[in-house]
Amino acid sequence: MRIDILTLFPDAVLAMMKESIIGRALERGIIDIRAHQIRDYTKNKQKQVDDYPYGGGLGMVMNADPLYNTWKHVIDEVGHPIHTIYLSPQGAVFNQAHARRLVSDYENLILVCGHYEGVDERFIEECVDEEISMGDFVLTGGEIPAMAIADAVCRMIPGVLSDEACFTDESHFSGLLEYPQYTRPAVWHDRAVPEILLSGHHANIAKWRHEQAVLRTKAKRPDMYKEYEK
């Protein structure tokens, strides 16, 4: 999968994406994440990418033209239309189902990072296929949501993690929160690891983990539990 991120801070984005598991997948060529500096596609000497909003109001709005020029450069480079996502507090709230859909439906994604008071609506109308939000709060820019989406999507690409179970057993994938996890030592601060996990009986362990996942979801996320029960 190739993901292109349109941003005012490409160095910050790539510095994060080149670390850890995602970074190793990039080095091995399993995934391809590129960050494009929107300022490089302006047509003025000042590299200005924003202006005052029509109708008045506080803050600035990102110009449509630099965004479009950056977006068009990626489209022309790849050679076909690309599903384009604008990271926006007005979008649908991102979840694991979104990540699974993006992995299964697309080989290329463009993630657009807004700033200031947002972007010119005409760019959204012409170039954006969907808007996605990280939740009911506002950030100073779209870089953190873009990196979160790229991470959530890329970790499900075959070969990025050592085994598919590394993500299928985790919280949200099956509609449940993940069961409790333990590691050495067997006793820590007088708290012992549940005996079932030391038994070596894989079927019983699997049953216990599922039961714990259900109980944990019911207690911590009753909204998820209601959906799971359906």
Side-chain angles (χ1 to χ4, degrees):
M1 170 173 276
R2 169 172 164 170
I3 298 177
D4 290 86
I5 301 174
L6 279 51
T7 171
L8 296 177
F9 302 98
D11 292 340
V13 169
L14 291 178
M16 182 64 189
M17 301 311 300
K18 288 183 177 179
E19 294 294 330
S20 189
I21 293 171
I22 301 299
R24 290 194 290 273
L26 280 168
E27 289 176 358
R28 299 201 304 271
I30 299 172
I31 57 175
D32 185 2
I33 299 176
R34 308 184 188 195
H36 305 267
Q37 172 58 267
I38 298 168
R39 294 189 189 279
D40 290 344
Y41 296 86
T42 59
K43 296 178 180 178
N44 57 76
K45 293 181 180 180
Q46 296 79 20
K47 300 291 184 182
Q48 184 176 346
V49 297
D50 61 342
D51 212 328
Y52 295 105
Y54 280 122
L58 298 174
M60 307 288 276
V61 176
M62 292 185 73
N63 301 105
D65 212 39
L67 286 164
Y68 174 79
N69 293 337
T70 316
W71 176 85
K72 187 66 164 52
H73 167 79
V74 175
I75 298 294
D76 290 344
E77 185 176 82
V78 174
H80 58 73
I82 302 174
H83 189 73
T84 300
I85 299 169
Y86 171 48
L87 291 315
S88 162
Q90 297 186 23
V93 176
F94 187 70
N95 57 29
Q96 191 65 33
H98 279 94
R100 293 173 68 177
R101 172 177 59 83
L102 294 176
V103 169
S104 64
D105 291 357
Y106 306 104
E107 293 185 1
N108 303 93
L109 294 172
I110 292 177
L111 306 180
V112 182
C113 302
H115 273 273
Y116 317 122
E117 294 304 308
V119 308
D120 192 306
E121 187 69 20
R122 293 167 293 184
F123 171 78
I124 298 174
E125 292 171 351
E126 183 162 339
C127 303
V128 171
D129 296 300
E130 69 173 310
E131 297 181 49
I132 290 181
S133 169
M134 284 293 104
D136 296 334
F137 54 91
V138 179
L139 298 170
T140 55
E143 282 73 22
I144 291 174
M147 289 187 286
I149 290 173
D151 190 292
V153 167
C154 287
R155 68 195 308 275
M156 289 190 288
I157 301 296
V160 173
L161 299 181
S162 59
D163 191 287
E164 187 177 279
C166 291
F167 61 81
T168 58
D169 283 351
E170 291 182 331
S171 294
H172 302 289
F173 192 89
S174 64
L176 294 171
L177 297 181
E178 189 176 9
Y179 47 80
Q181 295 277 18
Y182 301 87
T183 188
R184 294 170 180 165
V187 178
W188 179 80
H189 289 197
D190 296 326
R191 298 173 183 268
V193 172
E195 289 187 12
I196 184 67
L197 298 179
L198 307 177
S199 69
H201 196 299
H202 298 300
N204 287 348
I205 290 173
K207 180 182 177 184
W208 179 87
R209 284 175 166 172
H210 177 72
E211 291 170 349
Q212 291 296 312
V214 171
L215 291 172
R216 177 168 282 196
T217 305
K218 187 175 183 179
K220 294 186 175 183
R221 289 290 303 273
D223 56 323
M224 283 179 61
Y225 181 73
K226 286 182 181 179
E227 290 297 316
Y228 174 75
E229 277 193 311
K230 290 181 179 179

